[in-house]
Amino acid sequence: MTETTHHTVRKALAALCLAACACAAVPAHAQSLQVLHWWTSDSERKAVDLIARRLGEQQVGWRDSMVPSGSGVGAGIVLRSRMLAKDAPEVAQLNAIVVRDWARLNLLLELDTVAAAGHWNKLLLPTVASTIEYDGHVYAAPLGIHRINTLFYNRKLLQRLGLPVPATWKEFERVAAKLQRAGIVPLAQSSEPWQVATLFETMVLAEGADLYRGLFVRRDAAAYADRRLAAALLRLRGVKRWMGRPIQERMWPDSLQELAGQRAAMMVMGDWAKGELLSKGQAVDVDFGCAAAPDTGRYHLYNVDTLSMVGTRPEARPAQEKLAALALSPAVQADYNRIKGSIPVLRQPAFAKMDACARASWKLFNSGAEAQVPSLVHRMSTDETVRDAIVTEVHRFFLDDSIPVADTQRRLGTIARTFIKTK
Ligand code: GAL
């Protein structure tokens, strides 16, 4: 077990105890659902509270089982242990690949009736519809779509220094050098494995969507030998000089705080960071702005947040179906996504309730399959084991400058070849 995995497991076990405590709360409603999720920051909390409140209006209680683990690594471990211990929650926050894995094991409630009654096939963006399906059945209720390749910048800071928002990595280098001379950290970043890997996947995308899909969707051997992969790895290592020292392993809201507090100027992160900035009272296009991560303007690197209903307790079904239907109600879609920073999963969302970042994100996502690129790190593109192994390898490369790029490239290729691809 790697040190990183050790760390994650330790955190997950601590969370398991925490979850056990959280479940002890007595629900005020006759029916209630225990929901396992990893939404822990202020804005995530507010988004959860909104759904819980709306569910309460339908006489169903929400029992919170939160596992504090950015991107859900710990939550995944806790869910697996609890499934094995026959102590599963009724609802779990999952991402696409994981929905498929649990559905294959026949552990999720099929939501076909809810989907048919709510005309989900007409309501949902087609990519979202296929994300929640396995073997012709619906296994999750989608909440929102996040754009991962987002560059957040402190607008006032860049304006004060007369600096442009970099659209390319070349421009980024120029802007970063000026910021550093002015005593500002150019790029806020944590060394947490998933956060490093999130930055890395945007850098791979910057080298070409064909390369990205070859590596993380099709897992082509040729893509792993491509010198653009080496370029992305070297870029990841190269931008370390623009991060504050030491590069700490911290939660993403802590890095964001640097941006909000004008100590750092930019941050590459999924747009859940927008939700968090809004919850701190910052305003889009006043205090901060969002642009595409450098060299990725044409693409929407995405993930979809969904809730799956665990099918082990038949008596929970009516309440589970209520929650699934609620997720798609226009009011929840508009209000939840505004708080969360994501965009509605709907073909016809309430544009008037969306800010400029959200509108741009929705428009690009909806422009067609060519623009849509599924996130590796946020479990949209390939098997969980491969995802975990790649994240660990990239993290090691990031931390240890003595590892030759060719070694990492070779190892990544081996990972992609070794694990059998499941569909
Ligand atoms: C993502 C998830 C987001 C947000 C983020 C940080 O995987 O889709 O909703 O929670 O992790 O934890």
Side-chain angles (χ1 to χ4, degrees):
M1 201 184 282
T2 64
E3 214 170 289
T4 312
T5 327
H6 253 310
H7 189 60
T8 309
V9 170
R10 241 186 298 117
K11 282 208 281 201
L13 288 177
L16 198 56
C17 308
L18 230 154
C21 307
C23 311
V26 182
H29 300 275
Q31 275 186 308
S32 70
L33 298 172
Q34 191 193 123
V35 188
L36 190 137
H37 64 88
W38 66 85
W39 288 316
T40 161
S41 75
D42 279 358
S43 52
E44 291 174 335
R45 197 61 257 169
K46 283 182 187 145
V48 164
D49 289 347
L50 174 102
I51 305 175
R53 225 176 19 252
R54 300 274 160 90
L55 190 65
E57 287 161 13
Q58 299 195 21
Q59 315 314 320
V60 178
W62 171 294
R63 280 179 296 137
D64 210 61
S65 178
M66 191 269 282
V67 179
S69 55
S71 91
V73 180
I77 297 172
V78 170
L79 182 63
R80 282 193 290 278
S81 332
R82 294 192 55 188
M83 287 281 207
L84 281 171
K86 300 210 182 311
D87 169 39
E90 283 90 22
V91 187
Q93 177 199 354
L94 299 178
N95 295 130
I97 296 296
V98 196
V99 172
R100 187 197 65 187
D101 289 347
W102 286 119
R104 189 184 297 118
L105 293 172
N106 215 5
L107 285 162
L108 299 183
L109 188 70
E110 199 196 83
L111 297 169
D112 294 4
T113 324
V114 186
H119 306 288
W120 288 12
N121 58 346
K122 296 212 183 78
L123 238 58
L124 289 178
L125 292 169
T127 303
V128 176
S130 61
T131 288
I132 56 169
E133 269 184 36
Y134 172 71
D135 209 15
H137 300 286
V138 175
Y139 285 104
L143 284 168
I145 305 165
H146 277 297
R147 188 176 186 194
I148 313 291
N149 56 324
T150 311
L151 175 78
F152 290 94
Y153 54 92
N154 186 307
R155 202 156 181 270
K156 289 181 176 157
L157 208 59
L158 290 190
Q159 254 172 4
R160 178 155 59 78
L161 296 169
L163 296 171
V165 181
T168 63
W169 280 110
K170 227 179 177 165
E171 279 169 25
F172 176 91
E173 294 285 326
R174 277 200 296 273
V175 170
K178 290 187 182 145
L179 284 161
Q180 209 167 54
R181 275 201 295 278
I184 311 274
V185 174
L187 189 66
Q189 177 70 38
S190 157
S191 66
E192 229 191 337
W194 75 268
Q195 295 193 58
V196 171
T198 296
L199 175 62
F200 175 67
E201 67 177 17
T202 73
M203 289 171 164
V204 170
L205 184 58
E207 294 296 321
D210 62 319
L211 175 73
Y212 185 102
R213 295 187 214 273
L215 289 169
F216 303 143
V217 182
R218 295 191 303 274
R219 282 162 49 189
D220 292 341
Y224 284 87
D226 196 308
R227 56 187 170 73
R228 289 175 298 169
L229 174 57
L233 283 164
L234 289 172
R235 172 154 290 136
L236 178 70
R237 200 176 255 169
V239 295
K240 271 162 78 170
R241 72 192 149 124
W242 306 123
M243 299 170 187
R245 290 292 161 137
I247 306 168
Q248 291 164 14
E249 182 168 330
R250 58 185 177 188
M251 309 267 284
W252 61 270
D254 297 335
S255 303
L256 206 57
Q257 186 54 46
E258 279 196 347
L259 184 101
Q262 309 220 351
R263 292 190 298 283
M266 297 179 279
M267 181 167 166
V268 173
M269 186 47 75
D271 51 13
W272 46 87
K274 184 186 75 180
E276 197 64 9
L277 288 168
L278 294 174
S279 85
K280 290 178 193 300
Q282 302 239 316
V284 176
D285 289 340
V286 179
D287 303 291
F288 73 94
C290 41
D295 290 307
T296 67
R298 286 163 53 209
Y299 300 104
H300 195 298
L301 183 60
Y302 70 95
N303 80 340
V304 183
D305 280 327
T306 62
L307 295 177
S308 279
M309 311 299 151
V310 180
T312 46
R313 270 204 326 113
E315 64 277 21
R317 185 174 185 143
Q320 288 171 315
E321 293 189 336
K322 273 189 189 168
L323 175 55
L326 180 73
L328 265 283
S329 78
V332 165
Q333 279 291 310
D335 298 342
Y336 161 89
N337 283 298
R338 202 163 32 151
I339 301 172
K340 188 67 170 61
S342 39
I343 52 166
V345 293
L346 307 173
R347 291 187 200 183
Q348 281 169 343
F351 287 111
K353 289 191 171 181
M354 289 157 70
D355 59 41
C357 303
R359 277 202 287 269
S361 167
W362 189 92
K363 216 169 137 210
L364 181 60
F365 188 86
N366 208 30
S367 71
E370 176 51 26
Q372 298 172 2
V373 183
S375 165
L376 166 81
V377 178
H378 300 276
R379 301 184 187 78
M380 299 302 294
S381 74
T382 201
D383 302 355
E384 182 89 333
T385 34
V386 173
R387 176 252 179 230
D388 289 350
I390 292 179
V391 169
T392 304
E393 212 48 68
V394 168
H395 184 234
R396 233 160 56 83
F397 177 83
F398 175 79
L399 291 184
D400 183 352
D401 286 342
S402 73
I403 299 175
V405 65
D407 281 11
T408 299
Q409 194 168 358
R410 212 172 311 116
R411 267 199 222 107
L412 291 175
T414 310
I415 292 167
R417 264 198 322 277
T418 315
F419 293 95
I420 296 163
K421 224 166 147 187
T422 48
K423 184 72 200 131

